[in-house]
Amino acid sequence: MTTADQLAAHGLDLRYGDRLVVGGLDLTLPGGAVTAIVGPNACGKSTLLRGLSRLLAPAAGRVTLDGADIHRMSARALALRMGLLPQQPVTPEAITVEALVRLGRYPHQRLLSPWSAADQRAVDEALERTGTAGLRDHPVDQLSGGQRQRAWIALALAQDTELLLLDEPTTFLDLRHQLDVLDLVAALHAEAGRTVVMVLHDLGQAARYADHMVVLKDGRLAATGAPADVLDADLVKSVFDVDCRVIPDPETGTPLVIPKAGAVRHSAVSA
Amino acid sequence: MTPTTSTTSMPPATTAAVASRRTASRARRRHRRRVLVLAGACLVALFALLTVSLTTGEMPMSAPTALRALLGLGDAGDVLVVQQFRAPRAVAAVVAGAGLGAAGCVLQRLFRNPLASPDVMGMTGGASLGAVALLAAGASQTLVPVGALAGGLVAALLLGAFAWRSGLAVTRLVLTGLAVQAGLAAAVNLMIVRFPTELAGSALQWTTGSVYGRTWTQVWGAGAAMVVALAATLALHRGLAVLDLGDDSAGALGLRTSRARLRLLFLAVVLASLAAALAGPVTFVALAVPHIVRFLTGPPTVASPVLAALTGAVLLLASDLVVQHLLPVEGLPVGAVTATLGAPWLLVLMFRQSAPARREHV
């Protein structure tokens, strides 16, 4: 972990209209690490990600990147340092994989400047890394869910930023493709030294793939730290209202949440 | 994946990369070929149509004679007819057609709506009213583009005030636009009846759309402004492609989405208003041209606004020649032809819009 690419929230309030979604959040996300943001539905995970990436202006407080307020930076300057994959990105009609990924070079291009060799190199690398090079001429809207998600990650990679924010990158994917995406994220961090911040649903996956964990409840910080330090039965009970046991993952030793068997299932078995 | 002896020495990743790059260039080359074919066809058609428009009429002449007359050589009568009547009319049709095509292209992409176009959304009507109001007030012809621009912007603001709050729902936008357009057209008619002397002779231009009787003064002013507007459209086009990704992705790529949208909308209004300053409220061209370009070259790319401008120019110039020479009725305005084509086209698009099968965004 390094001190560069360090994203932080200071007394952050995020609102949609009158509704306070995230309130009074103080948070530091370590640079050079993979951070997972977890929490129950509607706890403000995605909202926090939008706030951290300038898509949502804070109602109060600040978001800083290495100490500089991101709302005082130019949109382009920030886009050169931080990429974001929304939860449900809009795929333009009939666009090919390569045309989509090329749009990731937008912040690098100047008015009237032509497509450069560096741009093409970044696009080729992003396609190779995500395993979508063979699909470059395919229309994105005809790909499977897993392929489409990789194409979108390729766009974010072509943007070539040190920081990558992913909003539920595994939602709507089957287990195989979930693991593909998470392994890709792990490789990006391990090989390219990227800082990744992602919203995840699955606590076990979050514990496995993240160095750092942020647990939200009702728009407030419930816990933060290394998964092994943070994730225990009390936390899961208080945040998710689920009785569980937390055991070491037999594969990795990271915490694994095993919900206790519910009453309904007992009665179904005994009946 | 059948390596020959020459490629087996290469690492497999490189082979795959080279192969995929080769297929990429093939696909892009195919698209580029289609774009070039359409652009070339448009240029040839423009040249042919311009020749026809300079040579035919009540005083038919050969192409070389017409060309010499255009340069001020030869018979004085020929020079007058070509330089003062035929050439400005043809150039006006080309410039207005180009502006309408590009405006329709930008608007349909911006609103993600195949029905969006300046004549459906009231901008053309606003521009005509602005021009007529200025002429009625006794202003000179050189100020017509200014009046048109002001009118077009007011119409866009009106449409925005009525339709923006509904989140720009497709049907609401079109219905509001058509209502605004109808109201503005009525206002134009009122002005023409009210100020018969000031607007004498130009009634057909401002009610139906016509390029009859354009002068070089009008053509140069609007034409120069149009070139600037087209260049700006091309420069901002990259933002249009990024906007297609939705606001969150576009914002994450460093595009200020609201500002980019307003700029593009403003440009579309400028293009449509300048076209209206030259040709009045011509319908159909802006609505149909993006569909034609799409049908011939596939999904929109950076080349689309250029192709739309070329196709629009061909379409309007051809329509004007049909009006002048092929129809048995004398003195019909070009807007009558485009409106005749446009009404059924709009109906077809509306039916297709309301069909239940819609593409899904994921």
Side-chain angles (χ1 to χ4, degrees):
Chain A
M1 294 186 197
T2 62
T3 45
D5 311 322
Q6 186 173 291
L7 205 53
H10 311 273
L12 184 66
D13 279 3
L14 295 171
R15 288 175 181 277
Y16 284 122
D18 287 341
R19 198 161 62 89
L20 183 71
V21 183
V22 169
L25 201 67
D26 285 299
L27 189 65
T28 302
L29 305 177
V34 176
T35 297
I37 302 176
V38 299
N41 287 338
C43 71
K45 299 181 299 263
S46 296
T47 308
L48 174 60
L49 213 60
R50 297 187 79 229
L52 290 175
S53 60
R54 223 187 106 123
L55 293 176
L56 189 61
R62 298 183 305 139
V63 174
T64 59
L65 177 57
D66 295 339
D69 190 331
I70 62 166
H71 280 273
R72 286 169 190 264
M73 297 166 79
S74 82
R76 185 166 164 269
L78 187 65
L80 288 170
R81 298 201 55 192
M82 185 197 286
L84 169 92
L85 177 57
Q87 189 177 350
Q88 291 195 342
V90 180
T91 301
E93 188 187 1
I95 195 168
T96 64
V97 170
E98 182 168 13
L100 180 76
V101 176
R102 283 163 75 98
L103 293 177
R105 298 304 290 170
Y106 179 75
H108 295 268
Q109 293 176 283
R110 291 285 191 177
L111 199 68
L112 305 180
S113 76
W115 185 253
S116 74
D119 291 329
Q120 188 59 47
R121 212 176 311 123
V123 167
D124 287 338
E125 267 178 38
L127 291 169
E128 295 292 333
R129 198 174 260 288
T130 51
T132 47
L135 301 169
R136 63 204 306 166
D137 293 327
H138 287 257
V140 178
D141 47 18
Q142 289 175 20
L143 298 179
S144 73
Q147 291 170 329
R148 194 180 309 162
Q149 189 68 318
R150 280 188 286 142
W152 274 96
I153 293 177
L155 179 150
L157 290 187
Q159 197 176 340
D160 197 18
T161 55
E162 300 119 23
L163 244 130
L164 202 54
L165 273 51
L166 307 168
D167 193 356
E168 299 202 16
T170 55
T171 310
F172 306 123
L173 299 184
D174 62 33
L175 189 58
R176 172 73 262 152
H177 290 110
Q178 289 183 20
L179 294 176
D180 282 350
V181 166
L182 291 169
D183 285 338
L184 177 63
V185 168
L188 281 176
H189 169 246
E191 293 161 22
R194 311 254 185 143
T195 304
V196 179
V197 179
M198 56 182 168
V199 172
L200 286 181
H201 252 303
D202 188 298
L203 292 175
Q205 286 180 351
R208 259 196 190 193
Y209 285 93
D211 307 307
H212 189 81
M213 208 163 185
V214 172
V215 186
L216 288 187
K217 189 196 179 190
D218 298 333
R220 312 225 166 236
L221 193 62
T224 177
D229 301 337
V230 166
L231 211 55
D232 59 29
D234 289 343
L235 180 87
V236 176
K237 174 66 185 166
S238 70
V239 172
F240 291 92
D241 193 24
V242 169
D243 289 314
C244 71
R245 288 199 297 154
V246 175
I247 59 167
D249 187 323
E251 283 289 319
T252 56
T254 52
L256 189 61
V257 175
I258 309 289
K260 288 192 175 159
V264 175
R265 174 137 183 97
H266 271 301
S267 60
V269 169
S270 59
Chain B
M1 285 297 152
T2 47
T4 62
T5 37
S6 62
T7 56
T8 37
S9 57
M10 290 167 89
T14 322
T15 325
V18 169
S20 65
R21 214 163 295 147
R22 209 173 293 140
T23 55
S25 58
R26 199 186 307 142
R28 260 207 306 272
R29 230 181 294 142
R30 192 169 49 226
H31 174 76
R32 203 170 298 159
R33 203 184 314 129
R34 280 198 199 170
V35 167
L36 288 177
V37 166
L38 179 58
C42 282
L43 287 174
V44 169
L46 268 184
F47 184 76
L49 292 170
L50 281 171
T51 309
V52 172
S53 64
L54 290 186
T55 51
T56 44
E58 283 189 23
M59 273 177 64
M61 57 186 86
S62 70
T65 313
L67 196 63
R68 257 185 283 131
L70 186 65
L71 297 171
L73 305 170
D75 179 69
D78 288 352
V79 171
L80 178 76
V81 166
V82 171
Q83 278 194 346
Q84 298 307 316
F85 299 112
R86 291 180 186 171
R89 177 176 189 162
V91 174
V94 169
V95 172
L100 288 171
C105 173
V106 170
L107 286 175
Q108 293 191 3
R109 187 110 183 252
L110 197 57
F111 289 100
R112 290 188 208 144
N113 181 345
L115 290 169
S117 100
D119 46 309
V120 174
M121 296 167 77
M123 295 160 193
T124 305
S128 301
L129 181 59
V132 166
L134 218 62
L135 288 176
S140 84
Q141 285 281 350
T142 42
L143 284 176
V144 162
V146 180
L149 194 56
L153 288 173
V154 169
L157 286 176
L158 264 180
L159 181 70
F162 287 137
W164 205 270
R165 276 159 199 246
S166 65
L168 298 174
V170 174
T171 36
R172 170 90 57 113
L173 191 71
V174 171
L175 288 178
T176 313
L178 285 172
V180 168
Q181 177 76 23
L184 292 167
V188 168
N189 278 312
L190 189 68
M191 297 289 277
I192 285 166
V193 174
R194 180 73 186 68
F195 298 95
T197 41
E198 288 85 349
L199 299 169
S202 61
L204 275 182
Q205 179 191 349
W206 300 117
T207 51
T208 326
S210 161
V211 282
Y212 169 78
R214 278 312 83 78
T215 65
W216 280 119
T217 335
Q218 298 164 325
V219 172
W220 283 133
M226 187 71 88
V227 169
V228 174
L230 283 171
T233 308
L234 215 59
L236 288 185
H237 186 269
R238 206 148 39 192
L240 208 49
V242 173
L243 278 175
D244 277 355
L245 297 175
D247 280 12
D248 277 7
S249 295
L253 285 168
L255 186 76
R256 312 276 295 269
T257 49
S258 324
R259 205 164 62 174
R261 263 204 199 96
L262 276 180
R263 273 186 192 168
L264 284 160
L265 189 61
F266 176 74
L267 263 182
V269 174
V270 171
L271 289 167
S273 301
L274 290 174
L278 278 176
V282 168
T283 57
F284 177 64
V285 175
L287 182 67
V289 159
H291 295 274
I292 297 171
V293 170
R294 193 196 172 85
F295 177 73
L296 293 176
T297 65
T301 62
V302 68
S304 311
V306 180
L307 293 177
L310 282 172
T311 312
V314 170
L315 199 57
L316 194 58
L317 184 57
S319 303
D320 193 41
L321 288 175
V322 167
V323 161
Q324 286 183 73
H325 306 304
L326 293 185
L327 294 184
V329 195
E330 288 267 321
L332 209 60
V334 65
V337 170
T338 62
T340 312
L341 292 171
W345 185 288
L346 186 63
L347 273 177
V348 168
L349 287 175
M350 288 268 233
F351 276 120
R352 249 197 247 157
Q353 269 284 296
S354 51
R358 298 276 296 129
R359 74 191 156 95
E360 292 296 322
H361 288 308
V362 175

